[in-house]
Amino acid sequence: VSEVAVGQIDTPGGRNALGNVAILIRLLTELDSDHLNTFMEGTTKGLTAARESLKGDPPSLVSIIGTLRQPEVRRGLNAVLVLLGTLGQHVHTELEKP
């Protein structure tokens, strides 16, 4: 069994898997657990609410635009935009490196 496992590790996929696990471990050691917990709870609640919203008729465009009046929607939208902006800036910086 160990010979098969070592053989699988010594493949491009196995090396990628080990590298990805190392990155995830580093990420988990750098993240504040309270921040991650808050984000994950919010994401779970958001996914539940999103699923429920799919059960009825689709909202009109006016209704969708009307949700922008809700401070929670604007706060969440802003958080997503900040996340995307930071991600885009980081990726651009990394791609510019020689």
mmCIF file of all heavy atoms in Angstrom, residues 2 6 8-9 11 13 15 23 28 38 41 47-48 51 56-57 60-61 67 71 73 75 79-82 85 98:
data_model
loop_
_atom_site.group_PDB
_atom_site.id
_atom_site.type_symbol
_atom_site.label_atom_id
_atom_site.label_comp_id
_atom_site.label_asym_id
_atom_site.label_seq_id
_atom_site.Cartn_x
_atom_site.Cartn_y
_atom_site.Cartn_z
ATOM 1 N N SER A 2 1.907 1.239 0.838
ATOM 2 C CA SER A 2 2.769 2.420 0.896
ATOM 3 C C SER A 2 3.533 2.616 -0.407
ATOM 4 O O SER A 2 3.805 3.752 -0.803
ATOM 5 C CB SER A 2 3.724 2.359 2.085
ATOM 6 O OG SER A 2 4.343 1.117 2.182
ATOM 7 N N VAL A 6 3.399 6.126 -2.346
ATOM 8 C CA VAL A 6 4.618 6.854 -2.725
ATOM 9 C C VAL A 6 4.670 7.032 -4.234
ATOM 10 O O VAL A 6 5.055 8.095 -4.731
ATOM 11 C CB VAL A 6 5.880 6.124 -2.199
ATOM 12 C CG1 VAL A 6 7.147 6.727 -2.786
ATOM 13 C CG2 VAL A 6 5.921 6.154 -0.686
ATOM 14 N N GLN A 8 2.113 7.386 -6.198
ATOM 15 C CA GLN A 8 1.149 8.435 -6.546
ATOM 16 C C GLN A 8 1.675 9.822 -6.187
ATOM 17 O O GLN A 8 1.390 10.793 -6.873
ATOM 18 C CB GLN A 8 -0.189 8.185 -5.841
ATOM 19 C CG GLN A 8 -0.943 7.005 -6.387
ATOM 20 C CD GLN A 8 -1.270 7.176 -7.871
ATOM 21 O OE1 GLN A 8 -1.747 8.217 -8.296
ATOM 22 N NE2 GLN A 8 -0.988 6.144 -8.653
ATOM 23 N N ILE A 9 2.414 9.912 -5.103
ATOM 24 C CA ILE A 9 2.982 11.206 -4.702
ATOM 25 C C ILE A 9 4.016 11.664 -5.714
ATOM 26 O O ILE A 9 4.181 12.851 -5.958
ATOM 27 C CB ILE A 9 3.588 11.113 -3.282
ATOM 28 C CG1 ILE A 9 2.466 10.951 -2.270
ATOM 29 C CG2 ILE A 9 4.441 12.323 -2.956
ATOM 30 C CD1 ILE A 9 2.936 10.689 -0.857
ATOM 31 N N THR A 11 4.019 11.798 -8.788
ATOM 32 C CA THR A 11 3.435 12.154 -10.077
ATOM 33 C C THR A 11 3.164 13.658 -10.048
ATOM 34 O O THR A 11 3.141 14.273 -8.968
ATOM 35 C CB THR A 11 2.103 11.408 -10.306
ATOM 36 O OG1 THR A 11 1.149 11.838 -9.318
ATOM 37 C CG2 THR A 11 2.283 9.901 -10.240
ATOM 38 N N GLY A 13 0.381 15.168 -10.396
ATOM 39 C CA GLY A 13 -0.820 15.376 -9.585
ATOM 40 C C GLY A 13 -0.528 15.258 -8.097
ATOM 41 O O GLY A 13 -1.041 16.024 -7.276
ATOM 42 N N ARG A 15 2.405 15.775 -6.604
ATOM 43 C CA ARG A 15 3.189 16.944 -6.185
ATOM 44 C C ARG A 15 2.293 18.168 -6.063
ATOM 45 O O ARG A 15 2.443 18.961 -5.138
ATOM 46 C CB ARG A 15 4.336 17.183 -7.158
ATOM 47 C CG ARG A 15 5.464 16.148 -7.006
ATOM 48 C CD ARG A 15 6.692 16.505 -7.831
ATOM 49 N NE ARG A 15 6.451 16.389 -9.269
ATOM 50 C CZ ARG A 15 6.544 15.252 -9.956
ATOM 51 N NH1 ARG A 15 6.852 14.132 -9.334
ATOM 52 N NH2 ARG A 15 6.325 15.233 -11.252
ATOM 53 N N ILE A 23 0.024 24.962 1.044
ATOM 54 C CA ILE A 23 -0.515 26.330 0.926
ATOM 55 C C ILE A 23 -1.726 26.500 1.842
ATOM 56 O O ILE A 23 -1.863 27.518 2.517
ATOM 57 C CB ILE A 23 -0.868 26.642 -0.543
ATOM 58 C CG1 ILE A 23 0.405 26.783 -1.366
ATOM 59 C CG2 ILE A 23 -1.715 27.910 -0.648
ATOM 60 C CD1 ILE A 23 0.179 26.821 -2.862
ATOM 61 N N LEU A 28 -4.232 28.695 6.713
ATOM 62 C CA LEU A 28 -4.957 28.505 7.962
ATOM 63 C C LEU A 28 -4.181 29.023 9.167
ATOM 64 O O LEU A 28 -4.778 29.447 10.155
ATOM 65 C CB LEU A 28 -5.316 27.027 8.143
ATOM 66 C CG LEU A 28 -6.374 26.503 7.170
ATOM 67 C CD1 LEU A 28 -6.539 24.994 7.331
ATOM 68 C CD2 LEU A 28 -7.706 27.213 7.368
ATOM 69 N N THR A 38 -16.486 34.257 11.271
ATOM 70 C CA THR A 38 -17.509 35.229 10.896
ATOM 71 C C THR A 38 -17.808 35.142 9.402
ATOM 72 O O THR A 38 -18.965 35.122 8.978
ATOM 73 C CB THR A 38 -17.055 36.659 11.257
ATOM 74 O OG1 THR A 38 -16.856 36.726 12.665
ATOM 75 C CG2 THR A 38 -18.072 37.693 10.833
ATOM 76 N N GLU A 41 -19.620 31.737 8.607
ATOM 77 C CA GLU A 41 -21.012 31.737 9.052
ATOM 78 C C GLU A 41 -21.871 32.609 8.137
ATOM 79 O O GLU A 41 -22.981 32.230 7.772
ATOM 80 C CB GLU A 41 -21.113 32.233 10.493
ATOM 81 C CG GLU A 41 -20.669 31.212 11.519
ATOM 82 C CD GLU A 41 -20.745 31.751 12.941
ATOM 83 O OE1 GLU A 41 -21.068 32.945 13.141
ATOM 84 O OE2 GLU A 41 -20.475 30.961 13.858
ATOM 85 N N LEU A 47 -25.701 31.423 1.557
ATOM 86 C CA LEU A 47 -26.024 30.333 0.638
ATOM 87 C C LEU A 47 -27.402 29.749 0.922
ATOM 88 O O LEU A 47 -28.153 29.424 0.002
ATOM 89 C CB LEU A 47 -24.958 29.231 0.723
ATOM 90 C CG LEU A 47 -23.609 29.580 0.112
ATOM 91 C CD1 LEU A 47 -22.577 28.504 0.460
ATOM 92 C CD2 LEU A 47 -23.723 29.744 -1.396
ATOM 93 N N THR A 48 -27.754 29.642 2.200
ATOM 94 C CA THR A 48 -29.081 29.149 2.571
ATOM 95 C C THR A 48 -30.159 30.106 2.070
ATOM 96 O O THR A 48 -31.161 29.676 1.470
ATOM 97 C CB THR A 48 -29.183 28.968 4.099
ATOM 98 O OG1 THR A 48 -28.189 28.035 4.519
ATOM 99 C CG2 THR A 48 -30.552 28.463 4.499
ATOM 100 N N ARG A 51 -30.474 29.944 -1.716
ATOM 101 C CA ARG A 51 -31.212 28.758 -2.165
ATOM 102 C C ARG A 51 -32.710 28.957 -1.991
ATOM 103 O O ARG A 51 -33.504 28.615 -2.872
ATOM 104 C CB ARG A 51 -30.745 27.525 -1.406
ATOM 105 C CG ARG A 51 -31.445 26.290 -1.888
ATOM 106 C CD ARG A 51 -30.874 25.056 -1.310
ATOM 107 N NE ARG A 51 -31.583 23.928 -1.907
ATOM 108 C CZ ARG A 51 -31.508 22.703 -1.486
ATOM 109 N NH1 ARG A 51 -30.743 22.413 -0.480
ATOM 110 N NH2 ARG A 51 -32.180 21.753 -2.076
ATOM 111 N N GLY A 56 -39.044 30.772 -5.459
ATOM 112 C CA GLY A 56 -40.168 31.558 -5.966
ATOM 113 C C GLY A 56 -39.926 32.055 -7.376
ATOM 114 O O GLY A 56 -38.975 31.667 -8.055
ATOM 115 N N ASP A 57 -40.823 32.924 -7.811
ATOM 116 C CA ASP A 57 -40.655 33.561 -9.108
ATOM 117 C C ASP A 57 -39.445 34.490 -9.059
ATOM 118 O O ASP A 57 -39.138 35.064 -8.012
ATOM 119 C CB ASP A 57 -41.897 34.386 -9.466
ATOM 120 C CG ASP A 57 -43.097 33.503 -9.746
ATOM 121 O OD1 ASP A 57 -42.894 32.344 -10.158
ATOM 122 O OD2 ASP A 57 -44.239 33.971 -9.550
ATOM 123 N N SER A 60 -38.210 41.087 -10.174
ATOM 124 C CA SER A 60 -38.099 42.019 -11.298
ATOM 125 C C SER A 60 -36.805 42.818 -11.153
ATOM 126 O O SER A 60 -36.186 42.855 -10.084
ATOM 127 C CB SER A 60 -39.291 42.983 -11.302
ATOM 128 O OG SER A 60 -39.208 43.842 -10.170
ATOM 129 N N LEU A 61 -36.400 43.448 -12.240
ATOM 130 C CA LEU A 61 -35.195 44.281 -12.191
ATOM 131 C C LEU A 61 -35.372 45.433 -11.208
ATOM 132 O O LEU A 61 -34.432 45.797 -10.491
ATOM 133 C CB LEU A 61 -34.856 44.810 -13.587
ATOM 134 C CG LEU A 61 -34.348 43.767 -14.575
ATOM 135 C CD1 LEU A 61 -34.116 44.398 -15.948
ATOM 136 C CD2 LEU A 61 -33.068 43.133 -14.077
ATOM 137 N N THR A 67 -33.202 46.430 -3.772
ATOM 138 C CA THR A 67 -32.444 45.831 -2.664
ATOM 139 C C THR A 67 -31.190 46.637 -2.342
ATOM 140 O O THR A 67 -30.656 46.518 -1.239
ATOM 141 C CB THR A 67 -32.048 44.370 -2.959
ATOM 142 O OG1 THR A 67 -31.196 44.332 -4.100
ATOM 143 C CG2 THR A 67 -33.259 43.487 -3.169
ATOM 144 N N PRO A 71 -29.009 48.547 3.767
ATOM 145 C CA PRO A 71 -27.609 48.716 4.180
ATOM 146 C C PRO A 71 -26.831 47.396 4.168
ATOM 147 O O PRO A 71 -25.648 47.375 3.821
ATOM 148 C CB PRO A 71 -27.701 49.267 5.605
ATOM 149 C CG PRO A 71 -29.085 49.705 5.803
ATOM 150 C CD PRO A 71 -29.944 49.013 4.783
ATOM 151 N N VAL A 73 -27.220 44.861 2.146
ATOM 152 C CA VAL A 73 -26.876 44.519 0.763
ATOM 153 C C VAL A 73 -25.691 45.368 0.303
ATOM 154 O O VAL A 73 -24.737 44.856 -0.282
ATOM 155 C CB VAL A 73 -28.098 44.705 -0.177
ATOM 156 C CG1 VAL A 73 -27.694 44.564 -1.640
ATOM 157 C CG2 VAL A 73 -29.188 43.708 0.176
ATOM 158 N N ARG A 75 -23.455 46.788 2.189
ATOM 159 C CA ARG A 75 -22.277 46.382 2.951
ATOM 160 C C ARG A 75 -21.681 45.101 2.365
ATOM 161 O O ARG A 75 -20.464 44.989 2.171
ATOM 162 C CB ARG A 75 -22.668 46.178 4.414
ATOM 163 C CG ARG A 75 -21.497 46.035 5.351
ATOM 164 C CD ARG A 75 -21.930 45.972 6.815
ATOM 165 N NE ARG A 75 -22.396 47.290 7.249
ATOM 166 C CZ ARG A 75 -23.646 47.580 7.608
ATOM 167 N NH1 ARG A 75 -24.574 46.654 7.609
ATOM 168 N NH2 ARG A 75 -23.986 48.790 7.989
ATOM 169 N N ALA A 79 -18.114 44.608 0.430
ATOM 170 C CA ALA A 79 -17.122 43.627 0.875
ATOM 171 C C ALA A 79 -16.651 42.761 -0.294
ATOM 172 O O ALA A 79 -15.453 42.493 -0.443
ATOM 173 C CB ALA A 79 -17.708 42.754 1.987
ATOM 174 N N VAL A 80 -17.590 42.340 -1.133
ATOM 175 C CA VAL A 80 -17.228 41.523 -2.295
ATOM 176 C C VAL A 80 -16.373 42.335 -3.271
ATOM 177 O O VAL A 80 -15.376 41.836 -3.810
ATOM 178 C CB VAL A 80 -18.490 40.966 -2.993
ATOM 179 C CG1 VAL A 80 -18.155 40.329 -4.330
ATOM 180 C CG2 VAL A 80 -19.194 39.968 -2.087
ATOM 181 N N LEU A 81 -16.724 43.596 -3.486
ATOM 182 C CA LEU A 81 -15.947 44.442 -4.398
ATOM 183 C C LEU A 81 -14.537 44.697 -3.867
ATOM 184 O O LEU A 81 -13.570 44.694 -4.632
ATOM 185 C CB LEU A 81 -16.680 45.759 -4.661
ATOM 186 C CG LEU A 81 -17.981 45.633 -5.460
ATOM 187 C CD1 LEU A 81 -18.695 46.983 -5.530
ATOM 188 C CD2 LEU A 81 -17.722 45.083 -6.847
ATOM 189 N N VAL A 82 -14.419 44.902 -2.553
ATOM 190 C CA VAL A 82 -13.088 45.082 -1.951
ATOM 191 C C VAL A 82 -12.274 43.797 -2.112
ATOM 192 O O VAL A 82 -11.092 43.840 -2.463
ATOM 193 C CB VAL A 82 -13.206 45.499 -0.464
ATOM 194 C CG1 VAL A 82 -11.860 45.399 0.238
ATOM 195 C CG2 VAL A 82 -13.763 46.912 -0.353
ATOM 196 N N GLY A 85 -11.230 43.553 -5.732
ATOM 197 C CA GLY A 85 -10.204 44.548 -6.037
ATOM 198 C C GLY A 85 -8.846 44.152 -5.488
ATOM 199 O O GLY A 85 -7.820 44.262 -6.165
ATOM 200 N N PRO A 98 9.169 39.319 -12.734
ATOM 201 C CA PRO A 98 9.936 38.600 -13.773
ATOM 202 C C PRO A 98 10.060 37.128 -13.505
ATOM 203 O O PRO A 98 9.920 36.591 -12.522
ATOM 204 C CB PRO A 98 11.302 39.277 -13.739
ATOM 205 C CG PRO A 98 11.369 40.097 -12.509
ATOM 206 C CD PRO A 98 9.974 40.230 -11.985
#
